[in-house]
Amino acid sequence: MTATGTTESAGLAWKQRMLEELARGGDLLCLDVLGQQFVVRWGSVVTWQQRASMSSAWARCVSSHEPLLPPVPAEPLPGESFTASVTCTSTKHSEGTFQLAAASFEELAENLTSRLTVAAILANAGELTMLHACGVADPATGAVVALVAKSGTGKTTAASVLARTYGYVTDETVAIAWDGSVVPYPKPLSVKQEAGTSKRQASPDEFGLQPAPALPYIQSIVLLNRVEGARHMAPALERVPLADAVLALVPESSSQAEVVDPLQSLCRLIESVGGVWQVTYSEAADLPSALEPLFRLQPATQTEWAPAGAKSVQEPQIPVGCIQRTTPKDAVAIAGDLLIMLDNQIVRLSGIGPAVWEACANPVSLDGITKYVGSVHGKPEGYREAVAGAVDQLVAKSILERASN
């Protein structure tokens, strides 16, 4: 049989399985989430109306691939009658299946959105820079503005307002490739309801949101700073200093520590979009006019950062009486400060901190550190005590390591 014949046979087999599933009362939901393929199979308690509502809510993420058929959802447990099973065919990992169960359909739908997002993020870890942000794009140019914020601080509201004019890219994760292209994730909007209830998964069409353009790319990154409980105020847009921007973005990113040279990569991204902005506002309705300039090309910023020295060779055993810095995932120097990433933790060193860290590239005594810091910063009264205190703090933060007795 030819390769073409094999492909056609596989396609016919898939269609036959689909027909059999439909005949049993099933309704598969095939989705593309950040480039990862998922198939959702509903449990018997989920009604046709509820299945149709989810098909509508996820319509902009529908996949045309022919993935594996998920197994029948697990039998419902008392108090968790609404079920679904999900199969993932990842480009990075082998196929996997997980089961979902909830007391209500709304809870099941919210759990599904969360699990799909997490699974897709994990599959793309180290490949994409993924900001916890809503993203909207100029429909004519594809220029994306990413609005970064913590959960519950206005991303979905901002997306629902801005995407009536601009293309809706996502209200959850702006995923940026190395070349600046953005992978759209036009998921359902998770809409808050009364306290104590699950968020409703609403279709972007319900809010009249515009579709994302075909080739979106990152143009600007903005920190959302919504001021609540105050009288109406005109939105204010200001540029954020680079070190502050990096410190703000790392906690609001997913798996950034798994990117090669995570801090350097983030600095390059920030530099490529002309820096990070912050918008302070009280009403989301004011955002379209305030952010309009950021959909245009921003003036390039002057390079303000540099990799922070060569990586030290970690001794298997530090000589007695010596101190050495641990090997960080990455470190960058910005305007006299030093940002160091250890695993997912990021620490900012100022004052004498960078000099202390530089002195410890190789095993060195406290006296040697003190002499080096004195040569850089001078020797004011009490500087020896200051150096010793800084060393103790950096050892406590696992940035430096002291020889064990």
Side-chain angles (χ1 to χ4, degrees):
M1 182 180 291
T2 65
T4 302
T6 301
T7 301
E8 291 176 351
S9 296
L12 290 172
W14 166 250
K15 291 174 183 176
Q16 180 61 34
R17 294 172 77 184
M18 283 281 287
L19 290 172
E20 292 173 357
E21 171 64 14
L22 291 171
R24 287 195 295 268
D27 186 25
L28 302 180
L29 183 60
C30 305
L31 302 173
D32 183 324
V33 179
L34 296 176
Q36 311 303 315
Q37 309 303 314
F38 295 89
V39 186
V40 182
R41 186 175 183 179
W42 303 110
S44 59
V45 175
V46 180
T47 68
W48 277 104
Q49 292 85 353
Q50 290 166 338
R51 299 173 195 215
S53 71
M54 290 301 283
S55 295
S56 173
W58 284 95
R60 297 194 187 185
C61 295
V62 166
S63 171
S64 59
H65 287 72
E66 296 180 353
L68 297 176
L69 182 69
V72 175
E75 287 296 319
L77 298 173
E80 293 186 331
S81 56
F82 290 85
T83 60
S85 65
V86 183
T87 291
C88 172
T89 306
S90 170
T91 57
K92 191 173 180 181
H93 305 291
S94 58
E95 294 83 2
T97 297
F98 57 87
Q99 302 277 341
L100 295 173
S104 68
F105 172 71
E106 291 74 16
E107 182 185 356
L108 177 68
E110 183 178 6
N111 290 348
L112 174 66
T113 298
S114 177
R115 287 292 299 272
L116 293 180
T117 301
V118 170
I121 285 173
L122 291 176
N124 284 297
E127 303 294 332
L128 300 171
T129 294
M130 294 175 282
L131 301 177
H132 193 210
C134 74
V136 290
D138 186 313
T141 66
V144 173
V145 172
L147 305 170
V148 181
K150 293 179 170 61
S151 295
T153 59
K155 293 193 312 301
T156 296
T157 301
S160 65
V161 170
L162 287 160
R164 292 169 187 166
T165 301
Y166 299 101
Y168 173 60
V169 176
T170 186
D171 77 334
E172 174 63 35
T173 301
V174 174
I176 307 165
W178 64 270
D179 61 354
S181 60
V182 171
V183 182
Y185 180 25
K187 59 177 281 295
L189 281 76
S190 298
V191 180
K192 289 182 180 179
Q193 302 188 94
E194 56 268 21
T197 61
S198 301
K199 292 181 180 178
R200 183 171 67 88
Q201 307 306 298
S203 167
D205 294 331
E206 180 181 328
F207 291 87
L209 306 191
Q210 300 300 310
L215 299 172
Y217 63 91
I218 191 66
Q219 182 74 287
S220 297
I221 299 173
V222 183
L223 304 177
L224 284 181
N225 180 30
R226 184 179 58 175
V227 179
E228 296 185 276
R231 63 182 182 180
H232 180 265
M233 57 179 290
L237 194 63
E238 60 182 341
R239 198 186 296 272
V240 181
L242 178 58
D244 294 338
V246 173
L247 288 169
L249 290 180
V250 168
E252 300 307 324
S253 64
S254 299
S255 305
Q256 182 64 20
E258 296 188 37
V259 175
V260 176
D261 297 328
L263 296 182
Q264 297 179 55
S265 173
L266 192 56
C267 285
R268 282 191 290 269
L269 172 62
I270 293 171
E271 195 173 61
S272 73
V273 298
V276 170
W277 297 82
Q278 177 173 278
V279 61
T280 301
Y281 68 104
S282 58
E283 300 292 338
D286 295 327
L287 289 175
S289 59
L291 299 178
E292 189 275 333
L294 299 187
F295 288 91
R296 300 192 293 269
L297 183 64
Q298 302 300 305
T301 57
Q302 185 176 359
T303 299
E304 304 175 61
W305 65 277
K311 294 181 179 178
S312 60
V313 177
Q314 192 70 29
E315 295 288 346
Q317 184 171 355
I318 301 173
V320 174
C322 290
I323 300 160
Q324 185 178 17
R325 68 192 189 202
T326 57
T327 302
K329 283 188 174 291
D330 200 10
V332 293
I334 303 174
D337 287 355
L338 188 67
L339 302 185
I340 299 172
M341 178 178 280
L342 298 171
D343 297 325
N344 288 312
Q345 178 191 20
I346 182 169
V347 178
R348 182 179 192 168
L349 303 186
S350 302
I352 65 173
V356 171
W357 191 77
E358 291 165 8
C360 297
N362 298 298
V364 61
S365 66
L366 178 59
D367 186 56
I369 299 172
T370 304
K371 288 180 179 178
Y372 180 81
V373 174
S375 69
V376 174
H377 290 278
K379 302 176 181 179
E381 184 178 352
Y383 88 99
R384 289 183 176 276
E385 291 79 7
V387 172
V391 168
D392 288 342
Q393 290 181 28
L394 296 183
V395 169
K397 291 180 180 292
S398 298
I399 292 173
L400 301 181
E401 185 178 5
R402 184 177 271 126
S404 56
N405 295 327

